[in-house]
Amino acid sequence: MAHLIELSGITRSYRLGMTEVVALRGVDLTIDAGEFTVVTGPSGSGKTTLLNIIGCLDRASSGRYVLDGIDVSNRDFDDLAEVRNQKIGFIFQSFNLIPVLDVAENIEFPCAVREGGESPAALRARVEALARAVGLEQYLHHKPDELSGGQRQRVAIARALITTPRLVLADEPTANLDSKTSEQIIDLMLALNRDQGVTFLFSTHDPRVVQHARRALQIRDGQMVDGALAH
């Protein structure tokens, strides 16, 4: 069976003035559909760069990246934007909700930038189903500033899923949440992974997320570290 994600020899370097900064050094990684995987590592280890490349927000300097059977290694940024919209959902630590939109409008927003698409009634039905799945069916008409941090992250999770992505990327999804709320968000994502087969890939410093992961990978100095944990 083909891997959902396949990275081969991925490098990424930047120029800062006269200095070359190497963020990734020959990363090889495969992830299958349905995994619940975390990437850990100290600040500056390359976690965010790795997720940005996997999320088609950035391109590798060299190497090969195949996502869901599509070689995206040399795609231009317009093509990468289309791949992101069709294949990937994002969850950010700062939630990134649109303040003037209510919960339902925030959830459905990624579908608004797709060409064609479904009828408004069909889309709203899916929005309501996702709101129920994340426990927000009573808050569809609330604005983000009327919600708690945990509720905002639940909106972000529903928004990430509305496009029925093959992959959901989460960058430190519990960083701005208290311990109890973090546990609830982790449990929610585990349930979505188990019941709906959603593939999750996280970067995190949170040991609670690592503890619950099916697979925990470690990156250090831009390289994957051997001996990663598997649960």
Side-chain angles (χ1 to χ4, degrees):
M1 184 177 67
H3 301 295
L4 178 60
I5 292 170
E6 187 170 358
L7 304 179
S8 303
I10 293 294
T11 70
R12 185 66 172 102
S13 58
Y14 306 88
R15 293 209 67 84
L16 289 177
M18 300 297 292
T19 305
E20 182 180 42
V21 178
V22 181
L24 296 177
R25 305 170 185 269
V27 171
D28 297 324
L29 175 65
T30 59
I31 293 175
D32 293 329
E35 286 199 34
F36 193 92
T37 300
V38 301
V39 178
T40 68
S43 297
S45 60
K47 293 193 308 298
T48 298
T49 301
L50 179 63
L51 253 67
N52 284 345
I53 288 172
I54 292 173
C56 296
L57 294 167
D58 193 8
R59 291 188 299 190
S61 300
S62 64
R64 186 167 185 255
Y65 174 26
V66 178
L67 171 63
D68 198 20
I70 300 171
D71 190 335
V72 298
S73 309
N74 298 309
R75 299 290 186 101
D76 64 29
F77 282 106
D78 287 341
D79 284 346
L80 290 179
E82 183 176 354
V83 171
R84 284 198 307 273
N85 190 249
Q86 297 295 329
K87 302 282 186 181
I88 305 170
F90 295 91
I91 302 169
F92 303 96
Q93 61 176 298
S94 56
F95 317 132
N96 286 8
L97 303 180
I98 301 173
V100 297
L101 301 183
D102 65 22
V103 166
E105 292 165 335
N106 266 285
I107 294 173
E108 70 186 22
F109 183 78
C111 293
V113 298
R114 282 186 164 182
E115 294 184 5
E118 62 204 301
S119 70
L123 177 57
R124 186 49 62 105
R126 290 202 305 113
V127 168
E128 292 174 357
L130 275 173
R132 284 193 298 275
V134 300
L136 290 176
E137 63 270 28
Q138 298 180 4
Y139 297 91
L140 283 171
H141 301 297
H142 287 62
K143 299 288 179 59
D145 64 3
E146 299 173 313
L147 305 175
S148 68
Q151 289 170 329
R152 293 182 198 185
Q153 195 60 298
R154 288 170 183 265
V155 177
I157 293 169
R159 181 186 59 190
L161 296 175
I162 192 65
T163 58
T164 59
R166 294 282 286 146
L167 169 69
V168 172
L169 296 177
D171 184 17
E172 298 281 2
T174 60
N176 291 326
L177 304 176
D178 60 51
S179 298
K180 181 179 178 181
T181 305
S182 293
E183 290 285 353
Q184 293 172 345
I185 292 299
I186 294 166
D187 287 344
L188 170 60
M189 290 187 288
L190 281 166
L192 291 166
N193 171 258
R194 180 186 65 241
D195 299 338
Q196 299 184 22
V198 179
T199 305
F200 284 95
L201 176 63
F202 302 83
S203 71
T204 189
H205 286 99
D206 190 338
R208 293 163 300 192
V209 179
V210 177
Q211 178 184 352
H212 288 291
R214 317 268 192 238
R215 183 181 174 205
L217 308 172
Q218 187 176 11
I219 190 169
R220 184 182 304 144
D221 297 327
Q223 296 178 302
M224 304 306 297
V225 178
D226 291 335
L229 302 175
H231 301 305

